[in-house]
Amino acid sequence: MNLRVLGCSGGIGADLRTTSLLIDDDILIDAGSGVGDLTLEELENIKHIFLTHSHMDHFTFLPLMVDSIFGSIKEPVIVHGQPKTIEALKTHIFNWTIWPDFSKLPSEENPVMVFETMMPGTTMPLGDRTLEMIQVNHIVPGVGYRVACNSGSFAFTGDTTNHDNFWEVLNRYDSLDLLICEVAFPNVLEDLAKRAGHYSPELLALDLVKLRHRPDIYISHTKPGKEDIIVDECRAAIPDRKIHRLFGGTQFAL
Ligand SMILES: [Zn+2]
Ligand SMILES: [Zn+2]
């Protein structure tokens, strides 16, 4: 399995892109502004999009993506999300006012995009890859994912602050090779992190002791301009783990 980080920033500016992970050439986790760097052919190859939650930085290029591939794909793109996430997109984005309802275009029988609800705690096999949706603790209903294939696995927290479930689910498995973990704010903004449902380095340290695996850990969703201080604070708070800053464009072979 190949994992390509299209975007992993908490914001924009110059070369920063918001959250989107491309698995092989056909699966996206989130559809933030990183999607805009794909070629039209790469966009047309995407068959499944798994959303973590309804915040804009995680779906902002989905409306433009389905418009761009409209008329040039044979099978609809399947957009997976927990019920509250799908409901929010239908009500507030694909509502004919902000954007057309592409789940009914060009026709209800043969649309360019279909929504499929998925319940946290369930898994979906796609070829030799399996995605598990895992409930986390964000200010709106949010999930992370564990993605496994025959040769390896990774997990992505999505947006979250402290809780047990994500770590307990990962601990049920024999291994975890790679962890992409959000840390949105530096320690000085820990109060804001709690209120906004995000981690600070000190908050993440409290949860990582729950994880029995020893994966390489890549820090994502950092506030623009605060990347280095957040990663430095993570290394100080969690000295026994291998902590890296995640950069857009990074690829992993798992
Ligand atoms: Zn969020
Ligand atoms: Zn976010």
Side-chain angles (χ1 to χ4, degrees), residues 193-244:
K194 284 180 182 168
R195 277 188 281 128
H198 288 290
Y199 282 127
S200 67
E202 294 285 355
L203 294 177
L204 175 62
L206 296 174
D207 273 8
L208 273 181
V209 296
K210 302 167 187 168
L211 180 67
R212 70 182 179 93
H213 306 298
R214 312 292 300 174
D216 273 47
I217 298 171
Y218 286 80
I219 304 299
S220 72
H221 209 289
T222 42
K223 191 160 182 53
K226 303 292 184 206
E227 295 89 350
D228 289 337
I229 185 167
I230 290 172
V231 172
D232 286 348
E233 287 181 350
C234 285
R235 290 188 175 123
I238 311 154
D240 59 329
R241 298 273 190 176
K242 285 173 285 180
I243 306 271
H244 312 269

Side-chain angles (χ1 to χ4, degrees), residues 119-181:
M119 297 308 290
T122 61
T123 59
M124 182 168 297
L126 292 169
D128 72 337
R129 295 119 347 143
T130 301
L131 287 91
E132 177 166 354
M133 179 185 268
I134 309 171
Q135 192 86 59
V136 294
N137 177 22
H138 196 37
I139 196 165
V140 296
V143 299
Y145 290 93
R146 180 182 185 274
V147 186
C149 66
N150 297 332
S151 51
S153 64
F154 77 93
F156 171 52
T157 62
D159 286 10
T160 185
T161 189
N162 294 84
H163 68 295
D164 292 334
N165 185 59
F166 187 75
W167 312 106
E168 286 174 359
V169 170
L170 297 182
N171 284 342
R172 284 182 209 146
Y173 293 92
D174 289 338
S175 64
L176 179 68
D177 300 306
L178 172 71
L179 172 66
I180 298 177
C181 192

